[in-house]
Amino acid sequence: MTVAEALRETGRRLEAVGGSGRLDATLLLEYVTGATRESFITADARELTAAEDAAFAQAAQRRLAGEPIAYITGIAGFYGRTFAVDERVLVPRPETEHLVDAALKLLRAAGTTGGRIADIGTGSGAIAIALAAELPDAWVFGTDISHGAIDVARRNAARNNVFQQCTFLHGDLAQPLAKFAPFDALVANLPYVPTADVPALPDPVGFEPRPALDGGADGLDLYRRLIAQLPALLAPQASVLFEAAPGTIEPLARLMESAFPGADLTIGEDYAGLPRYLSSRGTATQRQR
Ligand code: GLN
């Protein structure tokens, strides 16, 4: 089979699992051949070797069974960087790049780009590492309840040359961070899918770790617990940023309001125009003890 045939035929077959079959075929062929997509254009008549052919067929089979491309290739792009991912962590989502943008904006406006930042439930470390890379003077802490995730995040920090700026700690939500307080900013993309909405196989999301998605009956169980931990952690004027499900942003804002009555809350929208982010400025300034 030639490169052109592989892309055309497999691309067509992969359309059955949604997304772009052609792009998926291209990503998988890059993965098995180690060649770039540019080379596929200039050398589209090249015959695949028997080994490439077999590896490509196997990768396509996994994708046809619904497995996310990122788990097959072992890498995902996020905020212009490359991250290693596997079944121990959620695949970074494009909409979470917005969360990074919003955090950078808040920190720059507050003049605290050299401070301490916490990323709760860091997973692959994507948010923490993107922030560390953008803010060379910041010290970024990531926590996760999953030992596997902490392992993946540390490797990703090394891979992205920010290992010195990042500290990844195992534990429940913000619990491991008490001795490093106060924090100038805290970001979180906690599991927020209401239990009844967590997709099952063969939906690609069904391949991802359920504990990284399931936010309890209303999707806010983990945020509720995290907000209770915050008063002891935040510096005056701290910025807080959460990503959550569109239907849960309003209730989440009310939870923050009652914990931090003076905070300045803003709701942000994702690429689809749905409410997806809650940011809070001056969070700990007005807090009532
Ligand atoms: N946005 C993810 C999804 O829709 C959920 C991520 C999360 O729970 N933090 O699958």
Side-chain angles (χ1 to χ4, degrees):
M1 187 161 49
T2 66
V3 163
E5 284 161 359
L7 291 177
R8 192 170 53 241
E9 280 161 31
T10 304
R12 201 176 301 129
R13 280 170 61 221
L14 293 185
E15 268 162 28
V17 282
S20 162
R22 177 78 183 199
L23 176 61
D24 285 0
T26 305
L27 289 166
L28 293 179
L29 197 62
E30 283 187 321
Y31 166 63
V32 302
T33 60
T36 65
R37 66 192 71 184
E38 291 75 29
S39 79
F40 298 156
I41 300 167
T42 52
D44 70 346
R46 174 169 89 76
E47 284 288 332
L48 296 184
T49 66
E52 286 172 341
D53 207 275
F56 186 57
Q58 197 185 26
Q61 212 43 53
R62 286 172 70 180
R63 179 66 195 129
L64 273 174
E67 190 168 348
I69 284 279
Y71 288 161
I72 304 171
T73 61
I75 53 169
F78 181 80
Y79 217 79
R81 297 172 186 278
T82 302
F83 292 81
V85 293
D86 60 36
E87 296 74 4
R88 297 175 293 174
V89 298
L90 207 72
V91 178
R93 304 286 202 265
E95 64 260 28
T96 303
E97 294 178 341
H98 258 335
L99 192 76
V100 172
D101 278 333
L104 290 171
K105 223 160 125 183
L106 276 180
L107 284 161
R108 286 178 179 137
T112 49
T113 50
R116 294 185 184 198
I117 305 173
D119 173 25
I120 311 301
T122 197
S124 65
I127 299 171
I129 290 163
L131 289 173
E134 297 299 315
L135 305 169
D137 298 325
W139 188 6
V140 186
F141 294 75
T143 70
D144 208 288
I145 192 77
S146 153
H147 285 287
I150 293 296
D151 181 49
V152 173
R154 286 186 180 143
R155 287 167 197 267
N156 277 324
R159 170 182 195 133
N160 283 283
N161 300 314
V162 292
F163 198 72
Q164 312 272 1
Q165 267 175 277
C166 293
T167 303
F168 289 107
L169 301 165
H170 172 258
D172 183 42
L173 298 174
Q175 230 156 37
L177 297 181
K179 59 175 177 288
F180 299 102
F183 288 86
D184 302 289
L186 183 139
V187 298
N189 176 16
L190 292 178
Y192 61 63
V193 182
T195 304
D197 300 341
V198 177
L201 293 174
D203 188 303
V205 176
F207 283 84
E208 300 188 284
R210 197 183 168 97
L213 293 159
D214 191 342
D218 70 350
L220 291 175
D221 279 4
L222 287 101
Y223 279 114
R224 224 175 265 114
R225 289 206 293 114
L226 175 61
I227 290 169
Q229 297 177 348
L230 291 187
L233 279 184
L234 300 178
Q237 295 300 333
S239 305
V240 173
L241 263 138
F242 296 146
E243 179 182 319
T248 66
I249 292 284
E250 283 291 344
L252 182 58
R254 285 196 290 276
L255 288 174
M256 278 298 279
E257 241 159 43
S258 50
F260 300 101
D264 175 10
L265 300 177
T266 311
I267 290 173
E269 294 178 348
D270 64 16
Y271 295 117
L274 300 169
R276 176 76 62 186
Y277 317 97
L278 180 69
S279 59
S280 171
R281 295 176 55 175
T283 309
T285 310
Q286 311 279 340
R287 86 178 180 246
Q288 296 175 344
R289 294 186 181 262

